[in-house]
Amino acid sequence: MTDLDIAKKIELKHISTIAEKLGLNINDIDMYGKYKAKLPHSIIDLEKVQKSNLVLVTAISPTPAGEGKTTMSIGLSEGLNQLGKQTTVVLREPSLGPVFGIKGGATGGGYSQVLPMEDINLHFTGDFSAIEKSHNLLAAVIDNNIQSKTNSLGIDARTVTWKRVMDMNDRSLRNIVIGLGGTTSGVPRQTGFDITAASEIMAILCLADDLENLKERLGNIFIGYTLDRKPVYARDLKVQGAMAALLKEAVKPNLVQTIEGNPAIIHGGPFANIAQGTNSVIATRMGMSLSDYTVTEAGFGADLGAEKFLDIKCQSAGIAPKAVVLTTTIRALKYHGGADLKNLTEENVEALKNGLPNLEKHIENVKQFGITPVIAINRFLSDSDAEIEVIKTYAKNNNIRVALAEVWAKGGKGALELAQHVVDIVESSSSKFTPIYNWDMDVKSKIEAIATKIYGAKNVEYTSTARKNLRTIKKLKLENLPVCMAKTQKSLSDNPKLLGRPKDFTITVREIEIAAGAGFVIPITGDMMRMPGLPAHPASENISIDNDGVISGLF
């Protein structure tokens, strides 16, 4: 039975019923039909936020299909609710790129899903569309200013770094030339498209405190230079107000429900390999204002999403998780132990043991932040008892909490052991959050702290372009910004072929982008691209809709 088949069996509750579980009535929410709603910012109570218990779900380095962090997050929230702990799960919104590409949707799976899954995976409440339009408005205004003879800032088109975005995997748009067609069609220049999840507008929405802060951050977006080398920001084009107006509804988090009828807040959707990989500060604070426990996730492995969650989001928002769940799968450990992708469903205890150093490094990383981890074995049908016992034995020998989680098959019941571990960690107050670096450090020191402490690199090298970027950052007085590393999710290193726990490797920073509006800089390593491509057989081949409006093929 597919995730969509299971979802269709569930009788959804009216969204007002879900709101009531959070102590809200129908007048407190902005309804989007029967099963979705927007939540106003007035719900946030910062005093309650400080008293709430935040739990972060992350993972080991994943296989291409992912290891089920979203499913684990939802299942854990169901388990905590079954233990009598008022819990809300707070997640990111799906991007259409992966939905139609290779990874599929982002609504969980089996009996640990958020619903209505078709709506959430396809457009949802229009947040991504609003972000795309806001981003592309700025792009249009920049090119209009370059073209204008009466209202020009004198922008040097060669220095403009702002691309356009769309929420689709389309490699043919990575590099394009615009402004062709004569003098009335703009100034020709090379540019390109990024995927919407990589937009700085997405990052800004996810780090903003409120609408006013959002507008200020939009104005701080760095565009390029004038012909006489003066920096140009979005505020110089007087466009931040219009951009914020387009985001009027998108800045409000979305309320939906889990399969078991518990509240779920979904908002924002930056990827963790090319952006910060966490839902919005506003959504997390909202969950913490309304619940005793808030479960959230950060994209890909703990070297990416979790590091950025802790070093960027937590420091920016003044929050900290009291426990970290490390989603672990037998198949991913076998993959990191040398097993072929095609053979991961076959029992292979030796490959599993060889892959344990990857798990070990991620555990070390969580502990470096002063937070107590618990290993959550996300069980798949192909996992053997002997393989499961290898992980349990490893955890016992190293005094690490571990739980077998059958959240896909059993929902909250399959997460009760894990939920109890989380409660025990929280109530023991054993976690004392400490960031890996201080924002006041220079940019190189921050990059090197992440590369050596989190990735396990020997050193960091910088190309001539990256060294030039460092000088620009210093000149613009932006050295106090945190760093948001762009790195492959397939390896702890910047080389996707180095699986397991590589050592004595060098991280190469190719260039460093400035995201002054979001409030961080982006060191780009390896061959990272901000516009993915589709696989030979994209998931879109299996998705359809019948004459009654029933969708099939989503996963």
Side-chain angles (χ1 to χ4, degrees):
M1 187 178 291
T2 68
D3 294 341
L4 186 56
D5 292 334
I6 293 171
K8 287 177 178 177
K9 288 171 51 183
I10 305 300
E11 184 176 346
L12 291 172
K13 297 180 180 179
H14 195 280
I15 197 64
S16 61
T17 303
I18 305 301
E20 286 172 4
K21 287 195 169 190
L22 295 172
L24 306 173
N25 61 50
I26 200 166
N27 296 319
D28 295 323
I29 61 176
D30 301 328
M31 290 176 54
Y32 274 58
K34 295 180 181 179
Y35 308 119
K36 298 169 289 185
K38 284 282 187 181
L39 297 172
H41 295 180
S42 57
I43 291 171
I44 294 174
D45 184 329
L46 293 179
E47 286 188 14
K48 289 183 179 178
V49 168
Q50 295 305 315
K51 296 175 183 177
S52 184
N53 301 304
L54 180 62
V55 179
L56 174 64
V57 177
T58 183
I60 61 173
S61 301
T63 62
E67 305 320 305
K69 284 187 311 300
T70 302
T71 304
M72 187 64 67
S73 300
I74 298 164
L76 173 59
S77 73
E78 308 280 43
L80 286 165
N81 274 304
Q82 287 191 26
L83 290 181
K85 307 295 182 182
Q86 186 191 25
T87 305
T88 298
V89 64
V90 184
L91 305 169
R92 289 173 293 161
E93 300 178 48
S95 162
L96 291 177
V99 168
F100 293 130
I102 190 171
K103 198 173 179 183
T107 53
Y111 287 90
S112 292
Q113 295 188 54
V114 283
L115 305 174
M117 72 95 81
E118 305 102 302
D119 290 4
I120 297 168
N121 280 318
L122 302 176
H123 298 302
F124 201 15
T125 55
D127 293 348
F128 271 58
S129 179
I131 289 165
E132 183 179 302
K133 298 299 184 292
S134 180
H135 182 114
N136 291 339
L137 169 62
L138 176 55
V141 169
I142 290 168
D143 284 306
N144 182 64
N145 192 272
I146 293 171
Q147 167 81 355
S148 178
K149 295 178 180 178
T150 59
N151 181 31
S152 174
L153 295 173
I155 297 171
D156 184 347
R158 298 166 298 179
T159 69
V160 173
T161 56
W162 194 256
K163 297 181 179 181
R164 286 164 171 79
V165 297
M166 66 180 295
D167 190 32
M168 199 65 61
N169 291 2
D170 193 346
R171 61 173 59 83
S172 64
L173 293 176
R174 287 173 186 160
N175 295 285
I176 62 172
V177 176
I178 61 172
L180 301 180
T183 57
T184 61
S185 297
V187 176
R189 65 183 183 89
Q190 184 174 347
T191 181
F193 274 77
D194 292 333
I195 193 166
T196 304
S199 166
E200 186 175 350
I201 308 299
M202 177 70 79
I204 287 171
L205 180 105
C206 287
L207 287 170
D209 295 319
D210 50 34
L211 255 176
E212 193 61 38
N213 183 243
L214 175 82
K215 188 162 62 175
E216 180 185 349
R217 287 174 178 266
L218 292 171
N220 289 338
I221 293 172
F222 175 69
I223 292 164
Y225 289 95
T226 63
L227 291 165
D228 55 0
R229 299 301 296 171
K230 292 180 180 177
V232 180
Y233 299 90
R235 59 179 176 267
D236 298 321
L237 293 164
K238 301 175 183 176
V239 69
Q240 71 270 30
M243 293 169 68
L246 283 170
L247 299 169
K248 171 178 167 287
E249 295 302 314
V251 77
K252 300 175 185 176
N254 306 286
L255 177 65
V256 289
Q257 62 192 281
T258 66
I259 270 187
E260 296 181 16
N262 289 310
I265 296 174
I266 303 180
H267 197 218
F271 294 159
N273 54 351
I274 53 179
Q276 78 265 37
T278 69
N279 61 71
S280 74
V281 166
I282 292 170
T284 302
R285 284 176 173 166
M286 199 162 284
M288 295 175 77
S289 297
L290 296 168
S291 308
D292 296 329
Y293 280 73
T294 299
V295 176
T296 191
E297 54 82 40
F300 294 120
D303 56 317
L304 288 168
E307 183 275 316
K308 295 168 184 179
F309 180 93
L310 296 164
D311 279 325
I312 298 175
K313 179 174 178 175
C314 286
Q315 291 202 72
S316 175
I319 56 177
K322 295 181 179 178
V324 169
V325 173
L326 193 57
T327 306
T328 304
T329 62
I330 302 290
R331 67 181 189 182
L333 289 177
K334 288 190 289 191
Y335 177 59
H336 284 285
D340 191 277
L341 268 175
K342 299 188 293 290
N343 302 324
L344 296 184
T345 57
E346 300 172 5
E347 183 178 272
N348 191 336
V349 171
E350 192 62 31
L352 174 61
K353 289 179 178 178
N354 291 338
L356 285 175
N358 186 270
L359 171 62
E360 179 184 57
K361 178 56 180 162
H362 286 292
I363 290 170
E364 287 178 13
N365 287 346
V366 173
K367 287 183 173 181
Q368 284 190 79
F369 286 100
I371 305 170
T372 303
V374 53
I375 300 169
I377 305 172
N378 189 14
R379 184 165 199 173
F380 284 71
L381 293 174
S382 60
D383 298 344
S384 72
D385 291 341
E387 290 172 325
I388 292 169
E389 194 58 37
V390 168
I391 301 177
K392 287 186 173 181
T393 300
Y394 166 82
K396 181 179 179 181
N397 291 341
N398 290 275
N399 199 28
I400 307 293
R401 290 176 180 267
V402 63
L404 181 64
E406 298 180 88
V407 293
W408 190 94
K410 300 178 180 179
K413 287 183 180 178
L416 290 175
E417 181 188 7
L418 175 63
Q420 189 60 59
H421 276 301
V422 167
V423 171
D424 291 345
I425 292 170
V426 168
E427 293 183 350
S428 71
S429 301
S430 59
S431 297
K432 306 294 180 186
F433 170 57
T434 305
I436 287 295
Y437 62 80
N438 188 305
W439 286 13
D440 291 334
M441 294 163 60
D442 63 79
V443 172
K444 281 187 72 174
S445 296
K446 285 179 276 201
I447 293 171
E448 287 158 16
I450 296 169
T452 58
K453 294 180 180 180
I454 300 298
Y455 306 157
K458 179 176 63 176
N459 63 330
V460 181
E461 291 183 354
Y462 301 84
T463 65
S464 57
T465 300
R467 289 194 296 271
K468 181 182 177 182
N469 298 149
L470 285 168
R471 291 193 293 272
T472 298
I473 290 166
K474 190 171 185 177
K475 188 175 181 180
L476 293 173
K477 298 180 180 179
L478 298 175
E479 280 217 307
N480 64 328
L481 296 182
V483 295
C484 182
M485 301 290 288
K487 182 187 76 69
T488 179
Q489 72 275 16
K490 297 177 181 178
S491 170
L492 285 161
S493 74
D494 57 357
N495 180 351
K497 295 181 180 179
L498 293 180
L499 302 181
R501 182 179 182 172
K503 295 182 179 180
D504 297 324
F505 60 90
T506 297
I507 290 283
T508 301
V509 177
R510 192 176 80 230
E511 60 181 306
I512 306 174
E513 294 187 0
I514 297 170
F520 52 67
V521 296
I522 309 168
I524 300 175
T525 68
D527 297 322
M528 290 305 301
M529 290 174 289
R530 293 159 68 85
M531 170 56 87
L534 290 170
H537 292 282
S540 56
E541 292 180 357
N542 303 311
I543 298 172
S544 190
I545 187 169
D546 65 18
N547 202 42
D548 295 321
V550 177
I551 292 172
S552 60
L554 273 175
F555 68 95

